[in-house]
Amino acid sequence: MLKIAIQKSGRLYEDSIKLLKECGIELNNGNKQLKTVAYNFPVEVYFFRDDDIPQYVYDGVADVGFVGENVFLEKGKDIDLVYRLGFGRCRLSIAVPKSMTYNTINDLEGLKIATTYSSLLQRFLTEKNVNAEIHEISGSVEIAPGIGLADAICDLVSSGSTLFTNGLKEVEVVLKSEAVLTANKNLSEENKNILEKLLLRINAVKTAKNNKYILLNVPNHQLKNIIAVLPGMKSPTVVPLAEEGWSSVQSVVNENVFWDVIEKLKRLGAEGILVVPIEKMII
Ligand code: PRT
Ligand code: ZN
């Protein structure tokens, strides 16, 4: 039985539960309990505060944990980062009052910076050869300059609206972060196997999201050229249409090149292009 720790409530909760569900893991409705068990996959899910997850994974209370990379790195526990999950994206940034003149990082010299991420901030400042005073506080970091508690802050940012409404501007990015899957370094053979199966599923879900299935009608004289622009998994499927001189072509296209490929297909005379989401993709 693999014990998975996820955030009890907060920004990572929904996406963590959704990912498990997309992996076909059905949880007994254990909302707000300490833990719940899946009835169709050998995992138990524990709900913790995000800050506690690295410690619990290190101690073996949980075998693996879904947690923000920012928390994983700040805590500095000797656990493995196994997989980048792609949700909960944000950045840890330094911000100063809008009215302050800021040209280079040296403008932080001698300032008092409030943060809950003192170890990541310290590492960043040391790397940049800047001496600043770090003032560790536990919450509402963004109000610190306004109430005279600090000159600057270092906090998580996603849309930037919290900084904006508090009269602050982002001046340095300390870290770019997303949710990651972390694991204890001493998993049993049984749990390593379960984790491998879980990763296969997570990968299938993630790959599917980055790809689309497309179907199109193609005049036969352009088939060769059209096949050349379709990346596909191996090579596209080609089926003759009832109408003479036409074929139906089916393929998989990656999100990154999607519009580029569609434009080329249209230029080559493709018609009736259908785009279908893929649920899982195993390669
Ligand atoms: O109770 P618990 O300790 O578990 O929760 P928490 O309150 O400590 O964490 P939570 O739920 O706020 O965040 C969990 C994780 O989500 C973080 O560790 C990050 O990895 C990730 N994440 C992604 C964020 C944000 N985006 C984010 N915007 N965490 C926090 N914020 C906060 C930020 O601190 C600031 O107050 O949102 C505000 C800024 O947002 P914008 O959109 O105004 O820029
Ligand atoms: Zn927290």
Side-chain angles (χ1 to χ4, degrees), residues 214-218 226 230 237 239 241 246-251 253 262 265-266 269-274:
I214 64 168
L215 302 98
L216 47 147
N217 295 333
V218 175
I226 284 200
L230 285 172
T237 310
V239 189
L241 286 186
W246 283 80
S247 299
S248 164
V249 174
Q250 301 166 22
S251 188
V253 177
I262 296 289
L265 294 175
K266 288 222 44 133
E271 288 180 10
I273 304 175
L274 292 182

Side-chain angles (χ1 to χ4, degrees), residues 143-158:
I143 63 167
I147 58 170
L149 201 61
D151 306 304
I153 65 161
C154 173
D155 199 13
L156 300 174
V157 181
S158 44

Side-chain angles (χ1 to χ4, degrees), residues 3 20 42 46 58 63 77 99 123 129 155 160 194 205 209 213 229 241 259 266:
K3 290 177 280 182
L20 292 173
Y46 284 70
Y58 177 73
D63 300 304
K77 298 289 171 208
S99 55
R123 201 189 304 167
N129 268 321
D155 199 13
I194 303 171
V205 170
K209 279 199 182 142
Y213 194 76
V229 301
L241 286 186
W259 287 111
K266 288 222 44 133

Side-chain angles (χ1 to χ4, degrees), residues 197-236:
K197 283 185 191 160
L198 176 66
L199 286 172
L200 178 95
R201 293 186 184 198
I202 293 178
N203 222 355
V205 170
K206 293 283 163 207
T207 314
K209 279 199 182 142
N210 293 333
N211 288 278
K212 298 274 179 277
Y213 194 76
I214 64 168
L215 302 98
L216 47 147
N217 295 333
V218 175
N220 285 347
H221 68 275
Q222 284 288 35
L223 253 183
K224 254 203 178 139
N225 293 332
I226 284 200
I227 288 172
V229 301
L230 285 172
M233 289 215 280
K234 261 215 169 85
S235 73

Side-chain angles (χ1 to χ4, degrees), residues 84-104:
R84 312 185 78 83
L85 295 165
F87 57 83
R89 285 181 196 277
C90 57
R91 50 198 190 272
L92 180 67
S93 291
I94 298 175
V96 301
K98 244 181 254 167
S99 55
M100 179 181 151
T101 315
Y102 189 93
N103 296 313
T104 72

Side-chain angles (χ1 to χ4, degrees), residues 130-162:
V130 172
N131 284 305
E133 186 190 334
I134 296 176
H135 187 62
E136 184 157 349
I137 55 178
S138 57
S140 303
V141 175
E142 66 279 1
I143 63 167
I147 58 170
L149 201 61
D151 306 304
I153 65 161
C154 173
D155 199 13
L156 300 174
V157 181
S158 44
S159 68
S161 64
T162 303

